[in-house]
Amino acid sequence: EPEVTQTPSHQVTQMGQEVILRCVPISNHLYFYWYRQILGQKVEFLVSFYNNEISEKSEIFDDQFSVERPDGSNFTLKIRSTKLEDSAMYFCASSDPIPLEGTEAFFGQGTRLTVV
Amino acid sequence: EDQVTQSPEALRLQEGESSSLNCSYTVSGLRGLFWYRQDPGKGPEFLFTLYSAGEEKEKERLKATLTKKESFLHITAPKPEDSATYLCAVSGTSYDKVIFGPGTSLSVIP
C-alpha cells in the first residue's frame, strides 16, 4: 500500500541552526502538506503546496519556514534558524482530492524535532 | 474562523462497552469532515471522510455519522486494540487546509 515516508524520524539540533525535514509523498498525489504537533497539543496546519507553489499557509508559517519540491519525488520543509518553541513532531501529508469521492490527506509517521 | 471541538477529552471503556465520540464544527462551506486515528508517537491514520449531512460510513467496529453541526464516531463492542486518540478534522474554504480538533483519547480496558 502506498505511503508517505519521512526522514529522519528524530532530529536534534542546536538553537539557531537550520534544519531540513524530508518527505516522499505518495507518488500520484498532487497536493502536499506540512503539519506540526507540539507534545500534548493538537495537529496544526502549516502549509499546503500545489503545482510547485504554496497554495495556503498558516500564521505559524513565517519567514523562518520554507518548502521546496527539489525533484519529482521529494518535498522538504526548511526551518532557517530554529527556536526552542519549534520543538514538535512534524508531519508531512499528501492528497489527490477528488470532490465527493476522496479528498482526504494521508500522513507520514513524522519527524520529531528537538531544539536544544 | 473554522473551528473543531471534540468531546469527551478522554474516555475509558471496558472491552465490549459501546460508546460514541463527538465532534462539533464551525466551518463556512464544509468540503469534507475527516476522522483519523493516532497512536502515540505516530502520524494520523485515515479512517473516514464524510461530505454531507445524513451520510454514514462504517469500518469494522467503527461507524461515523454527520449532521450539519456535528459528527459522531460510534464504537461498537470495542477491543483493547481500539485504544488510541481519535481526531476529527474539517476542510472548509478550500481542500488545501484541514483544521484538526484536539482529539479524544480512548482507552479500552480488557
Side-chain angles (χ1 to χ4, degrees), chain A residues 31 33 35 37 42-43 45 48 55-56 89 91 97-109, chain B residues 4 31-32 34 36 38 41-46 49 51 87 91 93-102:
Chain A
Y31 285 79
Y33 313 87
Y35 287 79
Q37 187 174 31
K42 63 181 181 180
V43 176
F45 171 79
S48 59
S55 51
E56 185 106 33
M89 192 78 140
F91 294 111
I98 301 170
L100 301 181
E101 289 187 23
T103 57
E104 57 273 359
F106 294 88
F107 284 74
Q109 291 302 294
Chain B
V4 180
R31 291 178 181 259
F34 312 96
Y36 288 85
Q38 187 176 31
K42 305 285 187 187
E45 176 189 340
F46 172 71
T49 306
Y51 293 104
L87 306 175
S91 65
T93 50
S94 72
Y95 294 116
D96 293 14
K97 183 176 178 179
V98 173
I99 305 299
F100 279 81

mmCIF file of all heavy atoms in Angstrom, chain A residues 31 33 35 37 42-43 45 48 55-56 89 91 97-109, chain B residues 4 31-32 34 36 38 41-46 49 51 87 91 93-102:
data_model
loop_
_atom_site.group_PDB
_atom_site.id
_atom_site.type_symbol
_atom_site.label_atom_id
_atom_site.label_comp_id
_atom_site.label_asym_id
_atom_site.label_seq_id
_atom_site.Cartn_x
_atom_site.Cartn_y
_atom_site.Cartn_z
ATOM 1 N N TYR A 31 -1.200 17.276 -4.112
ATOM 2 C CA TYR A 31 -1.150 18.248 -3.034
ATOM 3 C C TYR A 31 -0.251 17.716 -1.927
ATOM 4 O O TYR A 31 -0.336 16.543 -1.565
ATOM 5 C CB TYR A 31 -2.554 18.491 -2.449
ATOM 6 C CG TYR A 31 -3.455 19.337 -3.313
ATOM 7 C CD1 TYR A 31 -4.107 18.796 -4.411
ATOM 8 C CD2 TYR A 31 -3.669 20.679 -3.012
ATOM 9 C CE1 TYR A 31 -4.938 19.573 -5.194
ATOM 10 C CE2 TYR A 31 -4.510 21.459 -3.781
ATOM 11 C CZ TYR A 31 -5.138 20.899 -4.871
ATOM 12 O OH TYR A 31 -5.962 21.669 -5.649
ATOM 13 N N TYR A 33 1.542 18.693 2.049
ATOM 14 C CA TYR A 33 1.280 19.492 3.245
ATOM 15 C C TYR A 33 2.345 19.239 4.303
ATOM 16 O O TYR A 33 2.940 18.166 4.364
ATOM 17 C CB TYR A 33 -0.076 19.096 3.876
ATOM 18 C CG TYR A 33 -1.215 18.980 2.915
ATOM 19 C CD1 TYR A 33 -1.456 17.777 2.245
ATOM 20 C CD2 TYR A 33 -2.079 20.046 2.688
ATOM 21 C CE1 TYR A 33 -2.516 17.656 1.364
ATOM 22 C CE2 TYR A 33 -3.141 19.924 1.806
ATOM 23 C CZ TYR A 33 -3.349 18.727 1.145
ATOM 24 O OH TYR A 33 -4.399 18.614 0.270
ATOM 25 N N TYR A 35 2.306 19.648 8.580
ATOM 26 C CA TYR A 35 1.613 19.935 9.822
ATOM 27 C C TYR A 35 2.612 19.761 10.954
ATOM 28 O O TYR A 35 3.631 19.085 10.793
ATOM 29 C CB TYR A 35 0.458 18.943 10.047
ATOM 30 C CG TYR A 35 -0.730 19.156 9.149
ATOM 31 C CD1 TYR A 35 -0.729 18.701 7.830
ATOM 32 C CD2 TYR A 35 -1.869 19.799 9.615
ATOM 33 C CE1 TYR A 35 -1.834 18.896 7.013
ATOM 34 C CE2 TYR A 35 -2.974 19.998 8.811
ATOM 35 C CZ TYR A 35 -2.941 19.543 7.505
ATOM 36 O OH TYR A 35 -4.031 19.738 6.695
ATOM 37 N N GLN A 37 2.801 19.074 15.437
ATOM 38 C CA GLN A 37 2.071 18.757 16.663
ATOM 39 C C GLN A 37 3.035 18.900 17.834
ATOM 40 O O GLN A 37 3.942 18.074 17.992
ATOM 41 C CB GLN A 37 1.489 17.350 16.605
ATOM 42 C CG GLN A 37 0.577 17.004 17.766
ATOM 43 C CD GLN A 37 -0.086 15.647 17.597
ATOM 44 O OE1 GLN A 37 0.458 14.730 17.008
ATOM 45 N NE2 GLN A 37 -1.301 15.514 18.126
ATOM 46 N N LYS A 42 -2.797 19.813 19.741
ATOM 47 C CA LYS A 42 -3.451 19.296 18.539
ATOM 48 C C LYS A 42 -2.566 19.460 17.304
ATOM 49 O O LYS A 42 -1.585 20.205 17.312
ATOM 50 C CB LYS A 42 -4.804 19.968 18.331
ATOM 51 C CG LYS A 42 -4.777 21.442 18.088
ATOM 52 C CD LYS A 42 -6.217 21.943 17.927
ATOM 53 C CE LYS A 42 -6.260 23.418 17.657
ATOM 54 N NZ LYS A 42 -7.649 23.896 17.499
ATOM 55 N N VAL A 43 -2.939 18.744 16.274
ATOM 56 C CA VAL A 43 -2.241 18.819 14.996
ATOM 57 C C VAL A 43 -2.580 20.168 14.351
ATOM 58 O O VAL A 43 -3.752 20.518 14.203
ATOM 59 C CB VAL A 43 -2.680 17.662 14.075
ATOM 60 C CG1 VAL A 43 -2.031 17.781 12.711
ATOM 61 C CG2 VAL A 43 -2.349 16.317 14.719
ATOM 62 N N PHE A 45 -2.048 22.940 11.111
ATOM 63 C CA PHE A 45 -1.694 23.140 9.708
ATOM 64 C C PHE A 45 -0.575 24.174 9.589
ATOM 65 O O PHE A 45 -0.613 25.224 10.235
ATOM 66 C CB PHE A 45 -2.934 23.616 8.960
ATOM 67 C CG PHE A 45 -2.678 24.078 7.558
ATOM 68 C CD1 PHE A 45 -2.521 23.161 6.526
ATOM 69 C CD2 PHE A 45 -2.607 25.428 7.255
ATOM 70 C CE1 PHE A 45 -2.297 23.584 5.223
ATOM 71 C CE2 PHE A 45 -2.392 25.859 5.961
ATOM 72 C CZ PHE A 45 -2.234 24.932 4.941
ATOM 73 N N SER A 48 0.331 24.287 2.614
ATOM 74 C CA SER A 48 0.000 23.352 1.543
ATOM 75 C C SER A 48 0.704 23.814 0.271
ATOM 76 O O SER A 48 0.984 25.000 0.082
ATOM 77 C CB SER A 48 -1.508 23.252 1.335
ATOM 78 O OG SER A 48 -2.048 24.513 1.014
ATOM 79 N N SER A 55 0.054 27.026 -1.787
ATOM 80 C CA SER A 55 -1.332 27.381 -2.071
ATOM 81 C C SER A 55 -2.042 27.960 -0.847
ATOM 82 O O SER A 55 -2.980 28.738 -0.986
ATOM 83 C CB SER A 55 -2.112 26.186 -2.615
ATOM 84 O OG SER A 55 -1.949 25.068 -1.777
ATOM 85 N N GLU A 56 -1.571 27.591 0.323
ATOM 86 C CA GLU A 56 -2.165 28.110 1.555
ATOM 87 C C GLU A 56 -1.120 27.978 2.661
ATOM 88 O O GLU A 56 -0.340 27.035 2.653
ATOM 89 C CB GLU A 56 -3.416 27.284 1.899
ATOM 90 C CG GLU A 56 -4.214 27.751 3.061
ATOM 91 C CD GLU A 56 -5.519 28.426 2.683
ATOM 92 O OE1 GLU A 56 -6.127 28.032 1.674
ATOM 93 O OE2 GLU A 56 -5.912 29.345 3.415
ATOM 94 N N MET A 89 6.553 17.482 16.751
ATOM 95 C CA MET A 89 6.503 16.439 15.724
ATOM 96 C C MET A 89 6.012 17.105 14.453
ATOM 97 O O MET A 89 4.998 17.812 14.470
ATOM 98 C CB MET A 89 5.526 15.352 16.180
ATOM 99 C CG MET A 89 5.597 14.101 15.370
ATOM 100 S SD MET A 89 7.020 13.120 15.839
ATOM 101 C CE MET A 89 6.319 11.499 15.774
ATOM 102 N N PHE A 91 4.659 16.556 10.644
ATOM 103 C CA PHE A 91 4.061 15.552 9.764
ATOM 104 C C PHE A 91 3.949 16.090 8.345
ATOM 105 O O PHE A 91 3.485 17.206 8.136
ATOM 106 C CB PHE A 91 2.656 15.171 10.239
ATOM 107 C CG PHE A 91 2.624 14.472 11.566
ATOM 108 C CD1 PHE A 91 2.093 15.103 12.672
ATOM 109 C CD2 PHE A 91 3.097 13.176 11.697
ATOM 110 C CE1 PHE A 91 2.049 14.458 13.906
ATOM 111 C CE2 PHE A 91 3.061 12.530 12.924
ATOM 112 C CZ PHE A 91 2.547 13.170 14.038
ATOM 113 N N PRO A 97 -7.124 15.245 -4.169
ATOM 114 C CA PRO A 97 -8.544 15.466 -3.870
ATOM 115 C C PRO A 97 -9.443 15.365 -5.095
ATOM 116 O O PRO A 97 -9.229 16.031 -6.103
ATOM 117 C CB PRO A 97 -8.574 16.876 -3.273
ATOM 118 C CG PRO A 97 -7.335 17.533 -3.736
ATOM 119 C CD PRO A 97 -6.329 16.460 -3.934
ATOM 120 N N ILE A 98 -10.429 14.471 -4.966
ATOM 121 C CA ILE A 98 -11.481 14.374 -5.967
ATOM 122 C C ILE A 98 -12.777 14.654 -5.230
ATOM 123 O O ILE A 98 -13.216 13.843 -4.405
ATOM 124 C CB ILE A 98 -11.530 12.969 -6.598
ATOM 125 C CG1 ILE A 98 -10.184 12.649 -7.245
ATOM 126 C CG2 ILE A 98 -12.665 12.884 -7.610
ATOM 127 C CD1 ILE A 98 -10.040 11.214 -7.678
ATOM 128 N N PRO A 99 -13.401 15.831 -5.472
ATOM 129 C CA PRO A 99 -14.565 16.227 -4.671
ATOM 130 C C PRO A 99 -15.636 15.148 -4.611
ATOM 131 O O PRO A 99 -15.985 14.557 -5.627
ATOM 132 C CB PRO A 99 -15.082 17.477 -5.394
ATOM 133 C CG PRO A 99 -13.878 18.030 -6.050
ATOM 134 C CD PRO A 99 -13.037 16.842 -6.445
ATOM 135 N N LEU A 100 -16.101 14.890 -3.398
ATOM 136 C CA LEU A 100 -17.153 13.922 -3.076
ATOM 137 C C LEU A 100 -16.725 12.473 -3.295
ATOM 138 O O LEU A 100 -17.499 11.565 -3.068
ATOM 139 C CB LEU A 100 -18.440 14.211 -3.866
ATOM 140 C CG LEU A 100 -19.052 15.602 -3.633
ATOM 141 C CD1 LEU A 100 -20.321 15.773 -4.438
ATOM 142 C CD2 LEU A 100 -19.322 15.839 -2.168
ATOM 143 N N GLU A 101 -15.517 12.244 -3.725
ATOM 144 C CA GLU A 101 -15.034 10.864 -3.875
ATOM 145 C C GLU A 101 -13.899 10.560 -2.915
ATOM 146 O O GLU A 101 -13.843 9.496 -2.322
ATOM 147 C CB GLU A 101 -14.571 10.627 -5.318
ATOM 148 C CG GLU A 101 -15.693 10.562 -6.320
ATOM 149 C CD GLU A 101 -15.202 10.168 -7.694
ATOM 150 O OE1 GLU A 101 -14.123 9.549 -7.793
ATOM 151 O OE2 GLU A 101 -15.898 10.485 -8.662
ATOM 152 N N GLY A 102 -12.988 11.462 -2.789
ATOM 153 C CA GLY A 102 -11.853 11.240 -1.886
ATOM 154 C C GLY A 102 -11.017 12.488 -1.816
ATOM 155 O O GLY A 102 -10.317 12.814 -2.777
ATOM 156 N N THR A 103 -11.089 13.193 -0.702
ATOM 157 C CA THR A 103 -10.297 14.406 -0.548
ATOM 158 C C THR A 103 -9.366 14.317 0.650
ATOM 159 O O THR A 103 -8.720 15.289 0.987
ATOM 160 C CB THR A 103 -11.220 15.637 -0.376
ATOM 161 O OG1 THR A 103 -12.065 15.416 0.754
ATOM 162 C CG2 THR A 103 -12.075 15.844 -1.609
ATOM 163 N N GLU A 104 -9.297 13.140 1.259
ATOM 164 C CA GLU A 104 -8.528 13.004 2.487
ATOM 165 C C GLU A 104 -7.034 13.046 2.222
ATOM 166 O O GLU A 104 -6.565 12.654 1.148
ATOM 167 C CB GLU A 104 -8.894 11.690 3.192
ATOM 168 C CG GLU A 104 -8.701 10.455 2.355
ATOM 169 C CD GLU A 104 -9.925 10.124 1.498
ATOM 170 O OE1 GLU A 104 -10.939 10.850 1.576
ATOM 171 O OE2 GLU A 104 -9.844 9.147 0.741
ATOM 172 N N ALA A 105 -6.292 13.499 3.221
ATOM 173 C CA ALA A 105 -4.843 13.509 3.180
ATOM 174 C C ALA A 105 -4.305 12.302 3.929
ATOM 175 O O ALA A 105 -4.891 11.854 4.910
ATOM 176 C CB ALA A 105 -4.307 14.798 3.804
ATOM 177 N N PHE A 106 -3.180 11.785 3.440
ATOM 178 C CA PHE A 106 -2.513 10.651 4.063
ATOM 179 C C PHE A 106 -1.206 11.144 4.676
ATOM 180 O O PHE A 106 -0.446 11.849 4.015
ATOM 181 C CB PHE A 106 -2.276 9.540 3.040
ATOM 182 C CG PHE A 106 -3.564 8.943 2.548
ATOM 183 C CD1 PHE A 106 -4.223 9.488 1.460
ATOM 184 C CD2 PHE A 106 -4.133 7.862 3.205
ATOM 185 C CE1 PHE A 106 -5.430 8.966 1.017
ATOM 186 C CE2 PHE A 106 -5.334 7.328 2.762
ATOM 187 C CZ PHE A 106 -5.989 7.885 1.677
ATOM 188 N N PHE A 107 -0.978 10.747 5.904
ATOM 189 C CA PHE A 107 0.123 11.286 6.685
ATOM 190 C C PHE A 107 1.288 10.311 6.797
ATOM 191 O O PHE A 107 1.097 9.090 6.827
ATOM 192 C CB PHE A 107 -0.361 11.617 8.109
ATOM 193 C CG PHE A 107 -1.182 12.865 8.185
ATOM 194 C CD1 PHE A 107 -2.484 12.895 7.724
ATOM 195 C CD2 PHE A 107 -0.645 14.025 8.722
ATOM 196 C CE1 PHE A 107 -3.250 14.059 7.782
ATOM 197 C CE2 PHE A 107 -1.397 15.190 8.799
ATOM 198 C CZ PHE A 107 -2.699 15.204 8.321
ATOM 199 N N GLY A 108 2.492 10.887 6.896
ATOM 200 C CA GLY A 108 3.662 10.107 7.247
ATOM 201 C C GLY A 108 3.744 9.886 8.752
ATOM 202 O O GLY A 108 2.877 10.357 9.498
ATOM 203 N N GLN A 109 4.780 9.194 9.166
ATOM 204 C CA GLN A 109 4.941 8.846 10.574
ATOM 205 C C GLN A 109 5.594 9.961 11.381
ATOM 206 O O GLN A 109 5.681 9.870 12.601
ATOM 207 C CB GLN A 109 5.768 7.567 10.716
ATOM 208 C CG GLN A 109 5.007 6.348 10.212
ATOM 209 C CD GLN A 109 3.695 6.163 10.942
ATOM 210 O OE1 GLN A 109 3.636 5.883 12.128
ATOM 211 N NE2 GLN A 109 2.584 6.347 10.230
ATOM 212 N N VAL B 4 -12.981 23.344 15.306
ATOM 213 C CA VAL B 4 -13.396 21.973 15.596
ATOM 214 C C VAL B 4 -13.181 21.703 17.083
ATOM 215 O O VAL B 4 -12.089 21.963 17.601
ATOM 216 C CB VAL B 4 -12.576 20.961 14.766
ATOM 217 C CG1 VAL B 4 -13.021 19.539 15.075
ATOM 218 C CG2 VAL B 4 -12.707 21.251 13.279
ATOM 219 N N ARG B 31 -16.375 21.189 3.040
ATOM 220 C CA ARG B 31 -15.964 20.404 1.875
ATOM 221 C C ARG B 31 -15.701 18.952 2.249
ATOM 222 O O ARG B 31 -15.702 18.076 1.385
ATOM 223 C CB ARG B 31 -14.720 21.005 1.232
ATOM 224 C CG ARG B 31 -15.001 22.341 0.554
ATOM 225 C CD ARG B 31 -13.736 22.917 -0.027
ATOM 226 N NE ARG B 31 -13.986 24.196 -0.654
ATOM 227 C CZ ARG B 31 -14.122 24.364 -1.968
ATOM 228 N NH1 ARG B 31 -14.026 23.340 -2.784
ATOM 229 N NH2 ARG B 31 -14.343 25.561 -2.463
ATOM 230 N N GLY B 32 -15.437 18.718 3.534
ATOM 231 C CA GLY B 32 -15.222 17.338 3.974
ATOM 232 C C GLY B 32 -14.953 17.311 5.463
ATOM 233 O O GLY B 32 -14.333 18.231 5.993
ATOM 234 N N PHE B 34 -13.300 14.691 8.328
ATOM 235 C CA PHE B 34 -12.425 13.521 8.346
ATOM 236 C C PHE B 34 -12.273 12.995 9.768
ATOM 237 O O PHE B 34 -12.189 13.765 10.718
ATOM 238 C CB PHE B 34 -11.042 13.892 7.806
ATOM 239 C CG PHE B 34 -11.080 14.661 6.513
ATOM 240 C CD1 PHE B 34 -11.002 16.052 6.517
ATOM 241 C CD2 PHE B 34 -11.207 14.014 5.307
ATOM 242 C CE1 PHE B 34 -11.049 16.767 5.341
ATOM 243 C CE2 PHE B 34 -11.246 14.726 4.120
ATOM 244 C CZ PHE B 34 -11.171 16.096 4.129
ATOM 245 N N TYR B 36 -9.606 10.533 11.879
ATOM 246 C CA TYR B 36 -8.312 9.866 11.875
ATOM 247 C C TYR B 36 -8.110 9.197 13.226
ATOM 248 O O TYR B 36 -8.640 9.632 14.254
ATOM 249 C CB TYR B 36 -7.171 10.860 11.673
ATOM 250 C CG TYR B 36 -7.034 11.442 10.280
ATOM 251 C CD1 TYR B 36 -7.777 12.555 9.888
ATOM 252 C CD2 TYR B 36 -6.142 10.885 9.368
ATOM 253 C CE1 TYR B 36 -7.631 13.093 8.614
ATOM 254 C CE2 TYR B 36 -5.985 11.425 8.091
ATOM 255 C CZ TYR B 36 -6.728 12.527 7.731
ATOM 256 O OH TYR B 36 -6.579 13.057 6.480
ATOM 257 N N GLN B 38 -4.899 8.187 15.824
ATOM 258 C CA GLN B 38 -3.489 8.445 16.049
ATOM 259 C C GLN B 38 -3.005 7.642 17.246
ATOM 260 O O GLN B 38 -3.532 7.783 18.353
ATOM 261 C CB GLN B 38 -3.221 9.941 16.277
ATOM 262 C CG GLN B 38 -1.736 10.273 16.345
ATOM 263 C CD GLN B 38 -1.450 11.756 16.483
ATOM 264 O OE1 GLN B 38 -2.216 12.498 17.063
ATOM 265 N NE2 GLN B 38 -0.310 12.184 15.952
ATOM 266 N N GLY B 41 3.080 8.742 19.292
ATOM 267 C CA GLY B 41 4.318 8.881 18.532
ATOM 268 C C GLY B 41 4.202 8.578 17.056
ATOM 269 O O GLY B 41 5.219 8.483 16.355
ATOM 270 N N LYS B 42 2.985 8.434 16.558
ATOM 271 C CA LYS B 42 2.765 8.097 15.142
ATOM 272 C C LYS B 42 1.972 9.184 14.435
ATOM 273 O O LYS B 42 1.390 10.060 15.069
ATOM 274 C CB LYS B 42 1.982 6.774 15.034
ATOM 275 C CG LYS B 42 2.614 5.618 15.764
ATOM 276 C CD LYS B 42 3.819 5.085 15.044
ATOM 277 C CE LYS B 42 4.337 3.819 15.689
ATOM 278 N NZ LYS B 42 5.612 3.401 15.074
ATOM 279 N N GLY B 43 1.927 9.083 13.110
ATOM 280 C CA GLY B 43 1.132 10.016 12.347
ATOM 281 C C GLY B 43 -0.337 9.630 12.320
ATOM 282 O O GLY B 43 -0.687 8.480 12.558
ATOM 283 N N PRO B 44 -1.227 10.590 12.042
ATOM 284 C CA PRO B 44 -2.658 10.267 11.933
ATOM 285 C C PRO B 44 -2.912 9.253 10.829
ATOM 286 O O PRO B 44 -2.368 9.378 9.730
ATOM 287 C CB PRO B 44 -3.295 11.619 11.595
ATOM 288 C CG PRO B 44 -2.332 12.648 12.084
ATOM 289 C CD PRO B 44 -0.979 12.040 11.889
ATOM 290 N N GLU B 45 -3.760 8.280 11.142
ATOM 291 C CA GLU B 45 -4.124 7.237 10.182
ATOM 292 C C GLU B 45 -5.565 7.472 9.748
ATOM 293 O O GLU B 45 -6.478 7.512 10.565
ATOM 294 C CB GLU B 45 -3.987 5.865 10.848
ATOM 295 C CG GLU B 45 -4.416 4.694 9.985
ATOM 296 C CD GLU B 45 -4.465 3.399 10.788
ATOM 297 O OE1 GLU B 45 -3.824 3.325 11.853
ATOM 298 O OE2 GLU B 45 -5.172 2.470 10.372
ATOM 299 N N PHE B 46 -5.768 7.602 8.444
ATOM 300 C CA PHE B 46 -7.091 7.934 7.907
ATOM 301 C C PHE B 46 -8.110 6.840 8.179
ATOM 302 O O PHE B 46 -7.835 5.655 7.996
ATOM 303 C CB PHE B 46 -6.977 8.184 6.405
ATOM 304 C CG PHE B 46 -8.299 8.333 5.724
ATOM 305 C CD1 PHE B 46 -9.077 9.449 5.924
ATOM 306 C CD2 PHE B 46 -8.774 7.320 4.892
ATOM 307 C CE1 PHE B 46 -10.313 9.574 5.303
ATOM 308 C CE2 PHE B 46 -10.001 7.436 4.271
ATOM 309 C CZ PHE B 46 -10.770 8.561 4.474
ATOM 310 N N THR B 49 -14.056 9.756 5.488
ATOM 311 C CA THR B 49 -14.430 11.090 5.047
ATOM 312 C C THR B 49 -15.945 11.140 4.887
ATOM 313 O O THR B 49 -16.540 10.219 4.314
ATOM 314 C CB THR B 49 -13.796 11.452 3.694
ATOM 315 O OG1 THR B 49 -12.387 11.273 3.767
ATOM 316 C CG2 THR B 49 -14.108 12.898 3.341
ATOM 317 N N TYR B 51 -19.166 13.873 3.652
ATOM 318 C CA TYR B 51 -19.313 15.096 2.871
ATOM 319 C C TYR B 51 -20.602 15.851 3.136
ATOM 320 O O TYR B 51 -20.634 17.075 2.985
ATOM 321 C CB TYR B 51 -19.223 14.772 1.376
ATOM 322 C CG TYR B 51 -17.859 14.300 0.954
ATOM 323 C CD1 TYR B 51 -17.610 12.956 0.697
ATOM 324 C CD2 TYR B 51 -16.802 15.190 0.829
ATOM 325 C CE1 TYR B 51 -16.355 12.523 0.318
ATOM 326 C CE2 TYR B 51 -15.541 14.763 0.453
ATOM 327 C CZ TYR B 51 -15.325 13.429 0.203
ATOM 328 O OH TYR B 51 -14.077 13.003 -0.166
ATOM 329 N N LEU B 87 -9.047 11.619 16.085
ATOM 330 C CA LEU B 87 -9.013 13.016 15.662
ATOM 331 C C LEU B 87 -10.094 13.282 14.631
ATOM 332 O O LEU B 87 -10.283 12.489 13.698
ATOM 333 C CB LEU B 87 -7.651 13.349 15.038
ATOM 334 C CG LEU B 87 -6.401 13.048 15.862
ATOM 335 C CD1 LEU B 87 -5.150 13.337 15.030
ATOM 336 C CD2 LEU B 87 -6.395 13.883 17.123
ATOM 337 N N SER B 91 -12.263 20.317 6.292
ATOM 338 C CA SER B 91 -11.790 21.269 5.299
ATOM 339 C C SER B 91 -12.985 22.137 4.927
ATOM 340 O O SER B 91 -14.080 21.625 4.684
ATOM 341 C CB SER B 91 -11.185 20.582 4.084
ATOM 342 O OG SER B 91 -12.131 19.849 3.361
ATOM 343 N N THR B 93 -13.049 26.280 3.535
ATOM 344 C CA THR B 93 -12.995 27.176 2.383
ATOM 345 C C THR B 93 -12.216 26.581 1.222
ATOM 346 O O THR B 93 -12.437 26.931 0.070
ATOM 347 C CB THR B 93 -12.371 28.524 2.783
ATOM 348 O OG1 THR B 93 -11.143 28.258 3.471
ATOM 349 C CG2 THR B 93 -13.298 29.285 3.700
ATOM 350 N N SER B 94 -11.282 25.675 1.513
ATOM 351 C CA SER B 94 -10.540 25.038 0.418
ATOM 352 C C SER B 94 -10.127 23.649 0.852
ATOM 353 O O SER B 94 -10.113 23.326 2.031
ATOM 354 C CB SER B 94 -9.305 25.859 0.058
ATOM 355 O OG SER B 94 -8.327 25.739 1.073
ATOM 356 N N TYR B 95 -9.814 22.833 -0.137
ATOM 357 C CA TYR B 95 -9.318 21.495 0.182
ATOM 358 C C TYR B 95 -7.911 21.565 0.759
ATOM 359 O O TYR B 95 -7.430 20.621 1.352
ATOM 360 C CB TYR B 95 -9.282 20.633 -1.084
ATOM 361 C CG TYR B 95 -10.636 20.344 -1.654
ATOM 362 C CD1 TYR B 95 -10.997 20.810 -2.904
ATOM 363 C CD2 TYR B 95 -11.564 19.592 -0.938
ATOM 364 C CE1 TYR B 95 -12.250 20.537 -3.428
ATOM 365 C CE2 TYR B 95 -12.813 19.326 -1.450
ATOM 366 C CZ TYR B 95 -13.148 19.793 -2.701
ATOM 367 O OH TYR B 95 -14.385 19.537 -3.216
ATOM 368 N N ASP B 96 -7.255 22.708 0.544
ATOM 369 C CA ASP B 96 -5.837 22.811 0.897
ATOM 370 C C ASP B 96 -5.573 22.801 2.391
ATOM 371 O O ASP B 96 -4.484 22.464 2.813
ATOM 372 C CB ASP B 96 -5.261 24.116 0.344
ATOM 373 C CG ASP B 96 -5.221 24.136 -1.153
ATOM 374 O OD1 ASP B 96 -5.873 23.270 -1.765
ATOM 375 O OD2 ASP B 96 -4.548 25.004 -1.714
ATOM 376 N N LYS B 97 -6.513 23.251 3.180
ATOM 377 C CA LYS B 97 -6.241 23.471 4.597
ATOM 378 C C LYS B 97 -7.229 22.661 5.420
ATOM 379 O O LYS B 97 -8.437 22.834 5.287
ATOM 380 C CB LYS B 97 -6.399 24.953 4.910
ATOM 381 C CG LYS B 97 -6.086 25.341 6.339
ATOM 382 C CD LYS B 97 -6.191 26.861 6.484
ATOM 383 C CE LYS B 97 -5.925 27.294 7.899
ATOM 384 N NZ LYS B 97 -5.994 28.755 8.030
ATOM 385 N N VAL B 98 -6.721 21.779 6.244
ATOM 386 C CA VAL B 98 -7.552 20.950 7.104
ATOM 387 C C VAL B 98 -7.310 21.360 8.550
ATOM 388 O O VAL B 98 -6.159 21.456 8.981
ATOM 389 C CB VAL B 98 -7.222 19.462 6.885
ATOM 390 C CG1 VAL B 98 -7.954 18.594 7.892
ATOM 391 C CG2 VAL B 98 -7.585 19.043 5.472
ATOM 392 N N ILE B 99 -8.390 21.630 9.279
ATOM 393 C CA ILE B 99 -8.300 22.050 10.680
ATOM 394 C C ILE B 99 -8.654 20.867 11.563
ATOM 395 O O ILE B 99 -9.711 20.248 11.393
ATOM 396 C CB ILE B 99 -9.280 23.208 10.969
ATOM 397 C CG1 ILE B 99 -9.044 24.372 10.015
ATOM 398 C CG2 ILE B 99 -9.154 23.654 12.427
ATOM 399 C CD1 ILE B 99 -7.668 24.978 10.108
ATOM 400 N N PHE B 100 -7.772 20.557 12.495
ATOM 401 C CA PHE B 100 -7.973 19.425 13.385
ATOM 402 C C PHE B 100 -8.564 19.853 14.717
ATOM 403 O O PHE B 100 -8.277 20.939 15.228
ATOM 404 C CB PHE B 100 -6.636 18.723 13.660
ATOM 405 C CG PHE B 100 -6.210 17.779 12.584
ATOM 406 C CD1 PHE B 100 -5.594 18.244 11.430
ATOM 407 C CD2 PHE B 100 -6.448 16.417 12.712
ATOM 408 C CE1 PHE B 100 -5.207 17.366 10.427
ATOM 409 C CE2 PHE B 100 -6.064 15.533 11.722
ATOM 410 C CZ PHE B 100 -5.445 16.010 10.574
ATOM 411 N N GLY B 101 -9.355 18.965 15.300
ATOM 412 C CA GLY B 101 -9.781 19.115 16.672
ATOM 413 C C GLY B 101 -8.717 18.572 17.608
ATOM 414 O O GLY B 101 -7.723 17.987 17.158
ATOM 415 N N PRO B 102 -8.928 18.738 18.913
ATOM 416 C CA PRO B 102 -7.911 18.315 19.882
ATOM 417 C C PRO B 102 -7.856 16.810 20.119
ATOM 418 O O PRO B 102 -6.902 16.314 20.718
ATOM 419 C CB PRO B 102 -8.330 19.037 21.164
ATOM 420 C CG PRO B 102 -9.792 19.276 20.999
ATOM 421 C CD PRO B 102 -10.034 19.457 19.534
#
